[in-house]
Amino acid sequence: MNTPSLKVLGLTHGERLGMRQRWLKFWDRVAEPRRSAVDENASDFYVNSLLPSLRIFYGLDQKSLAKVHAHLEWFSLPGGWPLIRQGEVGHSLYIVVSGALGVFVRGTDGRTELVTQLSTGDAVGEMSLLTGEKRSATLTAIRDTELLRLPKEAFDELSREFPVLVHNLAEILARRLATTTSAKRTVFRPRTFAVVPLNNSIPCTDLCYRLNRSFAENGERIPVITADARDRPTEWFHQMESDHEHLIYQSESNDGAWTRLCLRQSDRILLVVPASQHPSGSPLERLFKGQRRKRLEIVFFHQDTTDADAVSAWLSLYPDVFHHHVRAGNNKDIARLTRHFNSTAVGLVLAGGGARGFAHLGALRAIREAGAGIDILGGTSMGGIIAAGIAMDWTEDELVERMRAAFVDANPISDYTIPRISLVRGRKVTALLREHFGDTKIEDLWRPYFCVSSNLTTGHVTVHRRGPIWQALRASVAIPGLLPPVSYNGEVLVDGAVMNNFPADIMKEFGRGPVIGIDVEGNQSITAREIDEQSGLGWRTLDESRRDDPGIINILMRAGTVNSEAQTKLSRRMVDIYFSPNLEDVGIRDWHKFDEAIEAGYTHTRDVIQAVGPRLFSTVRRSKTGY
């Protein structure tokens, strides 16, 4: 919608508030709760608290900041309204006083993506003060937002009197350039949340209280604002945001004025629905159709563990939203949801590598002993299988025993056939995956999960986040030439290792918090001497007893992963903590070295955790009970 921003300058605070109320009524077609006049001493807050915290004004004393404040223009932007548009010429600096702005970038494919958000104290438009160039992004009010504007003419005048402003501006732009060229993305940390129950069957008060208590256990006091605050003045809400790192707005289960206010005041919206209730098109559901998808997340509330039949229906309506599962009375689920709230959710990425992947099991033991909670899981091939087991909530012992039974006791790559599209039929692999994972869907897992496969039809990586787990994993392990490819929606999928054996970049894109990566690449080289010695042996290369030669299976497995090495090197730069066990003595199909690989993973991970010390690893030490 091409809607002009609400700029109400030259009026008293009371007049501005009244005009703002009328605009908001027009915007939502619903009367907003009454607010009182803005405190006339707001300028003291700007000069004494807000402006000194901005890097561009570093080095200015209070008297100088008062001169700066005299050039600033205050205005209000209702939630959903654009401030500036990508491609427009910029002439001003904007400072967020309260609320939040979404930074949207339009790509070459025409799609618009939310890349980050700006909250209280953030400034935008510094480049325009120097160059007046076109804006590189569109800025839209994610929720009701109060801003200060510094025109370029005013900055030029101030910089002549205070040259330090130019120095500060150059430093800001240099830092921004360094961040832009860095491989690691800045994680946006939302501050305000609306918890919206779909209906009265959701114990919303209890859920908000448990979230409050979970934050408190981590040393943070986070108020829950209920409908009792509907008559509070604007300044009260602003003061609450200034005084607390996070706020929770407890909504009502209707589309009334208080619910709409909660949505406008929140950086992130959590729609809480019963896991057994299908969408019905209620007025409250329709209210969410207009929400920016990256603001909205769905929490599926389970009264028991068998009532997840409605999850797929909801995600069909909202295919791009992040979702969570919370079981009644399960404190681990609440703790994980809390970590998602404060952007400290820990992502674990497990690389593929055949039998080398058993090292993941040992690494997980060391991570558990260190007290780290794992909140999001992803992987490729063998790493994807083990990550799926964790997302299924299998215990450590159960995970080890299932992997032993599937790969050591019953070698899945042994049903050879006359080669047409592969050396192995793949029926044993499929049967084992279905035996252990059943008909469980990825979207029904207790923790967010993904695995990757390589799409030979499109030439791109396919990220599996929905559908049967066994089917996604069957594609992720389909080494070209060894296992038959998987036909999925008219496309041909093979082992994810062909294109991305270590998908830490995909995990980082979620922007949920720190990423732990476990790479089991090891020494996979095959020498020309080995090939020369084995030439002419024909079918003897299939002999599983000859583990000292490369063999056709090893060659195929190596060839299936070599192309992703460049991508793996890039992905390593995306992780916050990186583990790479020494697995030179473990071959890709050395299933019998199960315990040896586990021990290598455990020893290496334990030693790295001890070496990095508590300062770094404390960023992921969030659970007393482990993963």
Side-chain angles (χ1 to χ4, degrees), residues 261-276:
L261 175 63
C262 291
L263 301 187
R264 285 199 306 269
Q265 290 292 116
S266 300
D267 297 325
R268 190 157 289 166
I269 302 166
L270 277 79
L271 174 62
V272 187
V273 305
S276 59

Side-chain angles (χ1 to χ4, degrees), residues 297-375:
E297 299 186 11
I298 299 179
V299 176
F300 294 104
F301 187 80
H302 300 256
Q303 294 290 352
D304 58 58
T305 58
T306 61
D307 59 353
D309 57 303
V311 173
S312 296
W314 280 97
L315 296 182
S316 294
L317 292 178
Y318 301 96
D320 300 324
V321 303
F322 213 87
H323 71 280
H324 314 266
H325 293 276
V326 172
R327 290 160 283 192
N330 190 307
N331 290 329
K332 283 187 177 181
D333 292 343
I334 293 294
R336 292 189 189 112
L337 191 58
T338 301
R339 293 193 287 268
H340 281 279
F341 266 27
N342 60 20
S343 299
T344 60
V346 178
L348 178 66
V349 179
L350 305 181
R356 290 189 176 100
F358 298 147
H360 293 313
L361 300 172
L364 288 167
R365 189 195 341 151
I367 290 172
R368 175 186 58 79
E369 291 176 355
I374 303 300
D375 304 300

